[in-house]
């Protein structure tokens, strides 16, 4: 289970965290969460939310460190760290999402970002906000 440490006698229950699963919560810097074994108050790990850290990994057993799941978590963590070092902001999107594509114009192939098209139209520029100085027929 995982709990928010409210600095009271007992923390505030946040939910179950099953093996090889993830959860999410909104929080602020300095908030403390702790994790207990099922059906007990035995604390197995504690985290304090810190600035620029959006992902926390509970320490696995030695056996679990060899699993593909854990390897992928470390890969994800490395990506997040590298992204922050390069951009100065945390990655907030889905990890390993496909690159964005411009699907609405070119049906035959996917255009790379930065592709520029010149489009001509017989219609001029228009405003979608009604002009209060004109009557409905003149708009």
């Amino acid at each position: 289970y995982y709990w928010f440490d409210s600095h009271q006698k007992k923390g505030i229950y946040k939910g179950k965290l099953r093996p090889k699963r993830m959860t999410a919560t909104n929080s602020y810097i300095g908030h403390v969460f702790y994790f207990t074994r099922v059906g007990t108050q035995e604390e197995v790990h504690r985290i304090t939310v810190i600035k620029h850290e959006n992902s926390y990994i509970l320490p696995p057993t030695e056996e679990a460190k060899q699993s593909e799941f854990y390897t992928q978590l470390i890969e994800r963590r490395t990506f997040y760290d590298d992204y922050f070092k390069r951009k100065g902001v945390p990655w907030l999107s889905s990890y390993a999402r496909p690159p964005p594509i411009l699907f609405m114009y070119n049906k035959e192939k996917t255009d790379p970002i930065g592709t520029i098209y010149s489009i001509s139209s017989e219609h001029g520029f228009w405003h979608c906000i009604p002009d209060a100085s004109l009557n409905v027929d003149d708009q």
Side-chain angles (χ1 to χ4, degrees), residues 15-119:
K16 292 180 180 179
L17 184 58
R18 300 190 190 291
K20 297 185 180 180
R21 296 292 185 258
M22 295 180 229
T23 190
T25 189
N26 290 326
S27 191
Y28 296 95
I29 295 169
H31 280 175
V32 177
F33 295 88
Y34 64 94
F35 303 83
T36 60
R37 295 196 185 283
V38 175
T40 74
Q41 292 299 311
E42 179 190 350
E43 186 176 315
V44 294
H45 190 66
R46 177 175 285 257
I47 61 167
T48 301
V49 176
I50 59 174
K51 188 175 185 177
H52 302 307
E53 186 69 45
N54 295 330
S55 178
Y56 296 85
I57 300 172
L58 301 183
T61 63
E62 288 303 316
E63 180 182 337
K65 284 182 181 179
Q66 310 307 315
S67 73
E68 184 177 341
F69 179 81
Y70 183 70
T71 302
Q72 290 173 349
L73 282 179
I74 297 303
E75 180 182 289
R76 179 183 301 213
R77 165 63 62 81
T78 301
F79 172 82
Y80 292 157
D81 292 346
D82 290 345
Y83 185 89
F84 185 80
K85 286 175 189 167
R86 286 184 289 118
K87 304 289 186 174
V89 293
W91 175 263
L92 297 177
S93 186
S94 298
Y95 172 71
R97 73 170 214 197
I101 58 172
L102 306 173
F103 64 91
M104 294 189 300
Y105 184 71
N106 188 346
K107 292 181 180 179
E108 282 71 41
K109 63 182 181 123
T110 301
D111 297 317
I113 297 300
T115 301
I116 298 173
Y117 291 98
S118 294
I119 308 294

